[in-house]
């Protein structure tokens, strides 16, 4: 039994006239009659009573009609849902992000806008280091991820670099420079620096050290922090100063002050990583939306926003 047989039966049951039913489904009357007879033979029951030239539903046909309508309605719904899923309007989107990316207004704006535009897509969020996020993408455990460099080049992964964010100095509230709005990095040369191990996937330690060397000093490492958020807490505990992305400057206002770094080349890059093959439409929509938010953010940057196009 195929769906077309149910459609033939529905037409005859609703029209109670084979000629009109044949016109409705677009086939000749004799083949339609044969299809109905074959359906009755398959079911082993009569679906219609034939009274002269008139037909009417049998008791079995009446029950079968209700079920036929339900089946065809579900089939139409399945087709509609499949097409919506193909357009990325429904489904599930698994997004990963680094701990620092969760503080980025850019990331939160992308997620907020995505949920508003496609509310029927279930968004599952997962936080990990960038290296682990890339591994999850390759294992098909994630669909996309907001990551920071360095990343090992991988032919299976494409990274759309989106923003380059200024870095700021985080100092304890009782630091001698805490009352200032800006400071030069070299002015902090005597402070112990809180840096980040390369295995943490932050990619910032080498940049910070290189910038310090460019400015004529080698930073004294007082502590390593496993994540950027932990570095802020270490600063609050008076264990040293840290250089962090500007998006984190609202953390620990009770114990930490964030100072603009004057004449600094330090930037924290943020990108959207995704697999190169078999991208779902939900992922494509996320990437396109990120680009739109980037353009809007770039326009704001011309009016003083801290985010600029990479």
């Amino acid at each position: 039994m195929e769906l077309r047989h149910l459609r033939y039966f529905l037409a005859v049951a609703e029209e109670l006239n084979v000629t009109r039913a044949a016109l409705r489904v677009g086939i000749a009357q004799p083949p339609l009659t044969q299809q109905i007879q074959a359906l009755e033979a398959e079911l082993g029951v009569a679906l219609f009573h034939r009274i002269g030239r008139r037909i009417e539903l049998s008791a079995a046909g009446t029950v079968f009609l209700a079920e036929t309508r339900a089946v065809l309605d579900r089939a139409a719904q399945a087709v509609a849902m499949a097409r919506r899923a193909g357009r990325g309007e429904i489904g599930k989107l698994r997004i990963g992000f680094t701990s620092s990316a969760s503080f980025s207004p850019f990331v939160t704006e992308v997620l907020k806008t995505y949920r508003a535009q496609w509310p029927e897509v279930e968004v599952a969020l997962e936080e990990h280091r960038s290296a682990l996020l890339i591994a999850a993408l390759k294992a098909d455990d994630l669909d996309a991820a907001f990551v920071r460099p360095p990343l090992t080049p991988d032919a299976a992964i494409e990274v759309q670099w989106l923003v380059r964010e200024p870095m700021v100095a985080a100092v304890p509230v009782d630091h001698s420079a805490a009352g200032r709005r800006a400071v030069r990095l070299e002015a902090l040369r005597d402070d112990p620096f809180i840096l980040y191990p390369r295995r943490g996937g932050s990619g910032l330690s080498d940049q910070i050290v290189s910038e310090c060397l460019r400015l004529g000093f080698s930073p004294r490492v007082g502590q390593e922090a496993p994540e950027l958020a932990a570095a802020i807490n270490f600063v609050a505990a008076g264990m040293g100063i840290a250089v962090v992305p500007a998006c984190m400057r609202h953390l620990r206002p009770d114990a930490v002050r964030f100072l603009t770094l004057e004449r600094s080349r330090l930037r924290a890059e943020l990108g959207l990583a995704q697999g190169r093959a078999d991208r779902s439409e939900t992922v494509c929509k996320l990437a396109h939306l990120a680009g739109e938010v980037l353009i809007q953010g770039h326009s704001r940057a011309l009016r003083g926003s801290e985010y600029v196009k990479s």
Side-chain angles (χ1 to χ4, degrees):
M1 184 186 305
E2 300 177 11
L3 286 179
R4 63 186 177 90
H5 297 134
L6 298 183
R7 295 189 182 98
Y8 293 159
F9 165 75
L10 179 63
V12 176
E14 290 183 343
E15 298 292 342
L16 293 179
N17 183 287
V18 178
T19 301
R20 290 197 300 269
L23 290 172
R24 174 171 158 179
V25 297
I27 64 174
Q29 180 177 334
L32 177 57
T33 300
Q34 293 170 5
Q35 293 289 339
I36 296 299
Q37 292 172 344
L39 180 59
E40 290 178 316
E42 181 177 350
L43 294 176
V45 296
L47 298 174
F48 297 96
H49 293 311
R50 294 157 180 85
I51 306 170
R53 295 183 179 182
R54 184 169 55 87
I55 62 173
E56 62 182 31
L57 284 166
S58 66
T62 299
V63 172
F64 193 64
L65 175 60
E67 296 301 321
T68 293
R69 284 174 172 153
V71 170
L72 292 177
D73 285 345
R74 287 300 305 272
Q77 182 182 6
V79 170
M81 295 288 281
R83 287 172 176 168
R84 292 190 66 197
R87 295 193 298 266
E89 297 172 0
I90 59 175
K92 184 174 182 179
L93 182 60
R94 303 163 299 171
I95 305 175
F97 57 92
T98 66
S99 60
S100 62
S102 64
F103 298 105
S104 168
F106 174 80
V107 173
T108 55
E109 181 65 21
V110 170
L111 295 179
K112 175 183 176 182
T113 305
Y114 188 93
R115 285 185 179 275
Q117 292 189 8
W118 298 286
E120 294 184 67
V121 175
E122 177 188 352
V123 177
L125 300 175
E126 188 171 328
E127 179 180 335
H128 279 303
R129 300 192 303 270
S130 291
L132 294 179
L133 294 175
I134 295 299
L137 284 172
K138 294 179 65 177
D140 197 31
D141 292 328
L142 287 175
D143 300 309
F146 290 98
V147 296
R148 293 193 187 277
L151 299 174
T152 302
D154 194 309
I157 300 297
E158 178 180 341
V159 182
Q160 175 186 2
W161 295 109
L162 298 165
V163 293
R164 289 181 298 124
E165 182 183 0
M167 304 285 282
V168 297
V171 303
V173 70
D174 58 357
H175 191 277
S176 59
R180 302 173 59 182
R181 297 182 59 182
V183 68
R184 292 187 181 182
L185 187 59
E186 58 266 36
L188 304 173
R189 68 173 68 228
D190 295 329
D191 288 282
F193 277 64
I194 299 170
L195 295 180
Y196 319 99
R198 285 296 299 271
R199 65 177 180 275
S202 67
L204 298 176
S205 286
D206 286 347
Q207 297 180 46
I208 295 169
V209 171
S210 295
E211 180 69 359
C212 291
L213 292 175
R214 184 184 73 84
L215 295 172
F217 73 100
S218 179
R220 176 166 58 92
V221 180
Q223 181 67 44
E224 280 194 344
E227 302 288 348
L228 288 166
I232 303 298
N233 289 326
F234 290 168
V235 173
M239 300 173 68
I241 64 101
V243 179
V244 298
C247 67
M248 307 184 74
R249 63 193 319 157
H250 65 284
L251 298 182
R252 296 300 307 269
D254 60 316
V256 179
R257 297 292 179 266
F258 297 90
L259 313 177
T260 299
L261 286 173
E262 297 178 334
R263 302 181 182 179
S264 172
R265 299 179 181 178
L266 288 173
R267 295 290 185 271
E269 288 188 285
L270 180 68
L272 181 65
Q274 53 192 308
R276 291 186 182 275
D278 299 326
R279 295 177 190 167
S280 68
E281 189 61 25
T282 53
V283 174
C284 293
K285 286 185 181 298
L286 177 69
H288 180 72
L289 176 61
E292 289 184 340
V293 173
L294 173 63
I295 293 172
Q296 295 168 5
H298 185 53
S299 297
R300 290 195 296 269
L302 298 178
R303 298 191 297 270
S305 170
E306 65 188 18
Y307 290 98
V308 296
K309 187 174 181 180
S310 60

